[in-house]
Amino acid sequence: MHSELLHRTYLDLTTPHVADACMRLGIAVRCAPAGTAPLWTGSHLVGRVLPARHTGSVDVFLEAIDRAEPGDVLVVDNDGRQDEACVGDLVALEASRAGLSGIAIWGLHRDASELRTIRLPVFSQGSLPVGPQRLDPRHPEAQTSAMVGPHEVTAEDFVLGDDDGVVFVPLARAREVADAAASIRDTERAQAARMLTGTPFRNQARLAEYLVARDANPDVTFRQHLRSIGGEIEE
Protein backbone atom coordinates (compact mmCIF):
# COMPACT_ATOMS: atom_id res chain seq x y z
CA MET A 1 0.00 0.00 0.00
CA HIS A 2 1.63 3.25 -1.14
CA SER A 3 1.91 6.27 1.13
CA GLU A 4 -1.05 8.31 -0.10
CA LEU A 5 -3.42 5.34 0.09
CA LEU A 6 -2.08 4.45 3.53
CA HIS A 7 -2.86 7.97 4.75
CA ARG A 8 -6.39 7.92 3.33
CA THR A 9 -7.13 4.44 4.64
CA TYR A 10 -6.02 5.12 8.22
CA LEU A 11 -7.16 8.73 8.51
CA ASP A 12 -10.23 7.86 10.62
CA LEU A 13 -8.75 4.89 12.50
CA THR A 14 -7.22 5.14 15.96
CA THR A 15 -4.42 3.14 17.53
CA PRO A 16 -6.94 1.34 19.82
CA HIS A 17 -8.99 0.33 16.75
CA VAL A 18 -5.87 -0.97 15.04
CA ALA A 19 -4.50 -2.75 18.12
CA ASP A 20 -7.86 -4.50 18.58
CA ALA A 21 -7.91 -5.41 14.88
CA CYS A 22 -4.46 -6.99 15.16
CA MET A 23 -5.64 -9.07 18.11
CA ARG A 24 -8.72 -10.19 16.18
CA LEU A 25 -6.57 -11.22 13.19
CA GLY A 26 -3.90 -12.96 15.24
CA ILE A 27 -1.22 -10.39 14.36
CA ALA A 28 1.31 -9.66 17.10
CA VAL A 29 0.47 -6.31 18.69
CA ARG A 30 3.63 -4.16 18.63
CA CYS A 31 3.25 -0.91 20.54
CA ALA A 32 5.86 1.64 21.53
CA PRO A 33 6.43 1.67 25.31
CA ALA A 34 3.78 3.32 27.45
CA GLY A 35 4.44 7.04 27.75
CA THR A 36 5.36 7.46 24.09
CA ALA A 37 3.28 10.49 23.19
CA PRO A 38 2.94 13.31 20.65
CA LEU A 39 4.28 16.78 21.37
CA TRP A 40 0.77 18.18 20.97
CA THR A 41 -2.64 16.60 21.35
CA GLY A 42 -4.58 15.72 18.24
CA SER A 43 -1.51 14.55 16.30
CA HIS A 44 -2.14 11.78 13.78
CA LEU A 45 0.86 9.95 12.32
CA VAL A 46 0.86 7.24 9.68
CA GLY A 47 3.50 6.08 7.22
CA ARG A 48 5.98 3.42 6.26
CA VAL A 49 8.75 2.84 8.79
CA LEU A 50 12.07 4.50 7.94
CA PRO A 51 14.37 2.97 10.58
CA ALA A 52 17.48 4.57 12.07
CA ARG A 53 19.56 3.33 15.01
CA HIS A 54 21.21 6.26 16.78
CA THR A 55 24.64 5.87 18.39
CA GLY A 56 25.48 9.50 19.12
CA SER A 57 25.61 11.27 15.75
CA VAL A 58 22.87 12.76 13.57
CA ASP A 59 24.44 11.49 10.34
CA VAL A 60 22.40 8.30 10.69
CA PHE A 61 19.23 10.41 10.45
CA LEU A 62 20.48 12.41 7.47
CA GLU A 63 21.41 9.21 5.67
CA ALA A 64 17.97 7.74 6.33
CA ILE A 65 16.20 10.90 5.18
CA ASP A 66 18.32 10.93 2.03
CA ARG A 67 16.86 7.57 0.98
CA ALA A 68 13.33 8.22 2.22
CA GLU A 69 10.18 8.33 0.15
CA PRO A 70 7.53 10.99 0.74
CA GLY A 71 5.20 9.94 3.53
CA ASP A 72 7.72 7.77 5.39
CA VAL A 73 8.05 8.06 9.17
CA LEU A 74 11.53 8.26 10.68
CA VAL A 75 11.57 5.68 13.49
CA VAL A 76 14.50 6.38 15.79
CA ASP A 77 15.99 3.69 18.01
CA ASN A 78 17.90 5.38 20.84
CA ASP A 79 17.55 2.37 23.13
CA GLY A 80 15.03 4.28 25.25
CA ARG A 81 17.83 6.31 26.82
CA GLN A 82 16.77 8.89 29.38
CA ASP A 83 20.13 10.69 29.65
CA GLU A 84 20.13 12.40 26.26
CA ALA A 85 17.84 13.83 23.62
CA CYS A 86 18.59 12.50 20.16
CA VAL A 87 16.26 14.50 17.88
CA GLY A 88 15.94 18.28 17.74
CA ASP A 89 14.73 21.01 15.48
CA LEU A 90 17.25 20.62 12.66
CA VAL A 91 16.54 16.92 12.15
CA ALA A 92 12.80 17.57 12.28
CA LEU A 93 13.06 20.42 9.80
CA GLU A 94 15.16 18.30 7.45
CA ALA A 95 12.61 15.49 7.67
CA SER A 96 9.74 17.88 7.07
CA ARG A 97 11.39 19.46 4.03
CA ALA A 98 12.03 15.99 2.61
CA GLY A 99 8.32 15.14 2.77
CA LEU A 100 8.33 12.74 5.70
CA SER A 101 5.11 12.33 7.67
CA GLY A 102 6.71 12.50 11.10
CA ILE A 103 9.15 11.04 13.61
CA ALA A 104 8.68 8.38 16.27
CA ILE A 105 11.46 8.08 18.86
CA TRP A 106 12.31 5.36 21.33
CA GLY A 107 14.00 7.94 23.49
CA LEU A 108 13.82 11.70 24.02
CA HIS A 109 13.59 14.89 21.97
CA ARG A 110 14.65 18.49 22.60
CA ASP A 111 13.92 21.93 21.09
CA ALA A 112 10.26 21.39 21.92
CA SER A 113 9.21 24.95 21.09
CA GLU A 114 10.86 24.84 17.69
CA LEU A 115 9.39 21.40 16.97
CA ARG A 116 5.91 22.74 17.63
CA THR A 117 6.60 25.57 15.19
CA ILE A 118 7.84 23.15 12.52
CA ARG A 119 4.62 21.20 13.15
CA LEU A 120 5.93 17.85 11.93
CA PRO A 121 4.30 15.19 14.15
CA VAL A 122 6.89 13.96 16.66
CA PHE A 123 6.28 11.17 19.16
CA SER A 124 8.75 10.46 21.95
CA GLN A 125 9.07 9.46 25.59
CA GLY A 126 9.70 13.04 26.70
CA SER A 127 12.13 15.93 26.43
CA LEU A 128 15.57 16.76 27.80
CA PRO A 129 17.78 19.80 27.07
CA VAL A 130 21.07 17.92 26.65
CA GLY A 131 22.03 16.16 23.45
CA PRO A 132 24.38 13.18 23.00
CA GLN A 133 27.80 13.33 24.64
CA ARG A 134 29.00 10.03 23.20
CA LEU A 135 29.91 8.45 19.90
CA ASP A 136 29.43 4.69 19.97
CA PRO A 137 30.22 2.27 17.13
CA ARG A 138 27.67 2.31 14.34
CA HIS A 139 25.15 -0.52 14.57
CA PRO A 140 25.40 -2.97 11.63
CA GLU A 141 21.66 -2.62 11.03
CA ALA A 142 21.60 1.14 11.54
CA GLN A 143 19.62 1.76 8.35
CA THR A 144 17.64 -1.45 8.01
CA SER A 145 15.87 -1.99 11.33
CA ALA A 146 15.07 -0.31 14.62
CA MET A 147 14.06 -1.51 18.05
CA VAL A 148 11.16 0.23 19.76
CA GLY A 149 11.00 -1.25 23.22
CA PRO A 150 11.05 -5.04 22.70
CA HIS A 151 9.83 -4.82 19.10
CA GLU A 152 11.91 -4.79 15.93
CA VAL A 153 10.52 -2.80 13.00
CA THR A 154 11.67 -2.43 9.40
CA ALA A 155 10.57 -0.88 6.12
CA GLU A 156 8.19 -3.84 5.83
CA ASP A 157 6.09 -2.21 8.58
CA PHE A 158 4.08 0.95 8.91
CA VAL A 159 3.49 3.06 12.00
CA LEU A 160 0.31 4.65 13.32
CA GLY A 161 0.41 7.21 16.12
CA ASP A 162 -2.15 9.32 17.97
CA ASP A 163 -2.91 10.54 21.49
CA ASP A 164 -3.04 6.93 22.78
CA GLY A 165 0.45 6.05 21.58
CA VAL A 166 2.17 4.32 18.68
CA VAL A 167 1.52 0.93 17.06
CA PHE A 168 3.40 -0.91 14.30
CA VAL A 169 1.75 -3.17 11.71
CA PRO A 170 3.09 -5.24 8.79
CA LEU A 171 2.59 -3.35 5.53
CA ALA A 172 1.47 -6.55 3.84
CA ARG A 173 -1.52 -6.71 6.21
CA ALA A 174 -2.44 -3.02 5.99
CA ARG A 175 -5.71 -3.46 4.08
CA GLU A 176 -6.84 -6.43 6.16
CA VAL A 177 -6.10 -4.63 9.43
CA ALA A 178 -7.84 -1.46 8.23
CA ASP A 179 -10.99 -3.38 7.33
CA ALA A 180 -11.11 -5.09 10.73
CA ALA A 181 -10.35 -1.82 12.54
CA ALA A 182 -13.13 -0.03 10.65
CA SER A 183 -15.58 -2.75 11.64
CA ILE A 184 -14.60 -2.40 15.30
CA ARG A 185 -14.83 1.39 15.07
CA ASP A 186 -18.30 1.29 13.52
CA THR A 187 -19.57 -1.21 16.10
CA GLU A 188 -18.31 0.94 18.98
CA ARG A 189 -19.75 4.13 17.50
CA ALA A 190 -23.15 2.48 17.09
CA GLN A 191 -23.02 1.20 20.67
CA ALA A 192 -22.10 4.65 21.98
CA ALA A 193 -24.92 6.27 19.97
CA ARG A 194 -27.45 3.84 21.45
CA MET A 195 -26.12 4.55 24.95
CA LEU A 196 -26.59 8.28 24.41
CA THR A 197 -30.21 7.71 23.39
CA GLY A 198 -30.97 5.67 26.49
CA THR A 199 -29.98 2.04 25.87
CA PRO A 200 -27.39 0.99 28.50
CA PHE A 201 -24.48 -1.03 27.25
CA ARG A 202 -25.50 -3.77 29.69
CA ASN A 203 -28.65 -4.23 27.65
CA GLN A 204 -26.87 -4.07 24.31
CA ALA A 205 -24.40 -6.68 25.49
CA ARG A 206 -27.22 -8.89 26.80
CA LEU A 207 -25.46 -9.13 30.11
CA ALA A 208 -28.26 -11.14 31.73
CA GLU A 209 -27.97 -13.78 28.96
CA TYR A 210 -24.23 -13.95 29.45
CA LEU A 211 -24.51 -14.43 33.21
CA VAL A 212 -26.96 -17.31 32.72
CA ALA A 213 -24.64 -18.89 30.12
CA ARG A 214 -21.61 -18.46 32.38
CA ASP A 215 -23.44 -20.08 35.30
CA ALA A 216 -24.20 -23.05 33.06
CA ASN A 217 -20.67 -23.19 31.63
CA PRO A 218 -17.90 -21.34 33.52
CA ASP A 219 -15.63 -21.64 30.47
CA VAL A 220 -17.79 -19.22 28.46
CA THR A 221 -16.04 -15.84 28.26
CA PHE A 222 -17.54 -12.41 27.80
CA ARG A 223 -15.53 -12.00 24.61
CA GLN A 224 -17.06 -15.17 23.17
CA HIS A 225 -20.51 -13.95 24.13
CA LEU A 226 -19.99 -10.54 22.52
CA ARG A 227 -18.60 -12.16 19.40
CA SER A 228 -21.68 -14.39 19.15
CA ILE A 229 -24.02 -11.37 19.13
CA GLY A 230 -21.83 -9.15 16.95
CA GLY A 231 -20.95 -6.75 19.74
CA GLU A 232 -17.21 -7.19 20.02
CA ILE A 233 -15.48 -4.46 21.99
CA GLU A 234 -12.74 -6.58 23.54
CA GLU A 235 -10.35 -8.13 21.02
Side-chain angles (χ1 to χ4, degrees):
M1 185 179 289
H2 62 77
S3 176
E4 185 178 346
L5 181 57
L6 195 64
H7 278 261
R8 290 202 306 267
T9 301
Y10 281 83
L11 184 62
D12 195 34
L13 294 172
T14 68
T15 53
H17 295 147
V18 169
D20 286 353
C22 287
M23 291 178 64
R24 179 179 292 185
L25 296 171
I27 299 171
V29 180
R30 293 176 294 163
C31 293
T36 305
L39 266 68
W40 56 88
T41 59
S43 293
H44 187 270
L45 174 67
V46 62
R48 185 186 67 147
V49 168
L50 179 68
R53 300 195 187 217
H54 178 255
T55 53
S57 176
V58 299
D59 61 326
V60 70
F61 305 144
L62 301 180
E63 184 179 348
I65 292 168
D66 194 50
R67 61 182 174 81
E69 297 181 5
D72 285 354
V73 174
L74 182 64
V75 176
V76 175
D77 174 359
N78 202 37
D79 201 29
R81 293 179 67 124
Q82 299 294 297
D83 63 341
E84 65 180 30
C86 60
V87 170
D89 59 339
L90 295 182
V91 170
L93 186 57
E94 186 79 359
S96 177
R97 300 292 291 175
L100 273 66
S101 291
I103 303 173
I105 309 165
W106 185 32
L108 306 177
H109 69 271
R110 66 176 181 174
D111 303 323
S113 178
E114 290 86 347
L115 293 178
R116 291 188 181 94
T117 299
I118 294 166
R119 214 60 185 172
L120 181 74
V122 174
F123 287 68
S124 84
Q125 294 182 294
S127 61
L128 195 73
V130 65
Q133 301 179 66
R134 63 187 174 104
L135 186 57
D136 297 333
R138 180 185 175 91
H139 194 284
E141 297 181 19
Q143 295 286 303
T144 57
S145 71
M147 298 300 297
V148 183
H151 307 298
E152 184 176 38
V153 297
T154 72
E156 298 300 314
D157 299 304
F158 73 94
V159 53
L160 179 70
D162 58 22
D163 288 343
D164 285 303
V166 173
V167 63
F168 300 94
V169 181
L171 264 173
R173 308 290 295 272
R175 171 56 65 185
E176 185 182 5
V177 169
D179 290 344
S183 174
I184 292 168
R185 175 201 63 201
D186 294 345
T187 296
E188 291 184 350
R189 286 180 177 176
Q191 290 166 337
R194 289 195 292 271
M195 290 171 70
L196 291 171
T197 56
T199 304
F201 183 65
R202 300 185 303 280
N203 293 3
Q204 296 182 51
R206 303 181 194 174
L207 180 63
E209 289 182 28
Y210 166 67
L211 295 176
V212 170
R214 190 185 64 187
D215 286 343
N217 179 7
D219 291 334
V220 173
T221 69
F222 193 53
R223 289 181 182 179
Q224 291 171 335
H225 168 72
L226 288 176
R227 205 173 289 127
S228 73
I229 64 172
E232 302 94 332
I233 59 168
E234 296 180 340
E235 286 295 345

